[in-house]
Amino acid sequence: MAKHRLQQVADTMQRVLGDVIQKELKDPRVGFATVTDVEVSADLQHAKVRISVMGSPEEREAAMAALQRARGFLRKRVAEEMSYMRFVPELHLIQDTSLDYTMHMDEVFRAIQHERLVNPPKLDDDQ
């Protein structure tokens, strides 16, 4: 299948899943969860759904467990919204930790910047 078509399917699934998670899931454990990416296999049998969840590690774990339990409902809603597809991919929900990494790196850069302000580097003027 053409990469362009796969990307269209993935983008549509991301939009549908994001809407369903935000507006239709009633589980209170699913607080602030965002679908950050969907990657569909070439045969449309599997979809990796990356989800970013805000909160403490315990809250994130509980939210991911709730989403795993709702996987059937999510897949059903994707099938309803994308009824033109012959197959609806099996959803593989993955917690996206890239935001955590970005925030960690931001803290590291801020600490370096602060250290440079407190102790400016010594430059040789002899050159």
Side-chain angles (χ1 to χ4, degrees):
M1 182 172 279
K3 288 189 182 229
H4 177 68
R5 175 72 177 135
L6 287 176
Q7 190 59 49
Q8 282 181 326
V9 170
D11 291 344
T12 303
M13 285 183 68
Q14 181 176 351
R15 181 187 52 77
V16 169
L17 288 168
D19 287 346
V20 170
I21 289 171
Q22 290 299 314
K23 299 174 184 171
E24 296 181 31
L25 281 185
K26 304 289 189 226
D27 195 321
R29 295 176 294 172
V30 180
F32 187 69
T34 305
V35 179
T36 57
D37 186 44
V38 174
E39 185 180 323
V40 181
S41 66
D43 62 359
L44 294 175
Q45 296 297 312
H46 302 276
K48 291 181 185 176
V49 181
R50 287 176 175 52
I51 300 175
S52 176
V53 182
M54 300 300 280
S56 69
E58 295 82 18
E59 291 170 334
R60 291 178 188 186
E61 189 175 320
M64 286 304 294
L67 289 168
Q68 290 292 348
R69 289 195 66 207
R71 226 173 32 180
F73 173 73
L74 295 172
R75 188 175 184 199
K76 178 182 163 213
R77 289 295 291 124
V78 168
E80 291 170 358
E81 293 292 324
M82 300 175 73
S83 59
Y84 53 86
M85 290 183 58
R86 184 179 300 174
F87 301 108
V88 176
E90 182 179 335
L91 303 178
H92 302 280
L93 305 179
I94 302 167
Q95 186 174 353
D96 186 356
T97 58
S98 61
L99 182 60
D100 295 336
Y101 180 74
T102 302
M103 291 172 55
H104 170 71
M105 291 306 297
D106 188 48
E107 289 175 17
V108 169
F109 291 138
R110 286 181 194 269
I112 291 170
Q113 183 181 22
H114 177 72
E115 183 65 29
R116 283 191 170 182
L117 286 174
V118 172
N119 297 321
K122 304 215 179 348
L123 302 174
D124 290 336
D125 292 333
D126 298 334
Q127 295 179 353

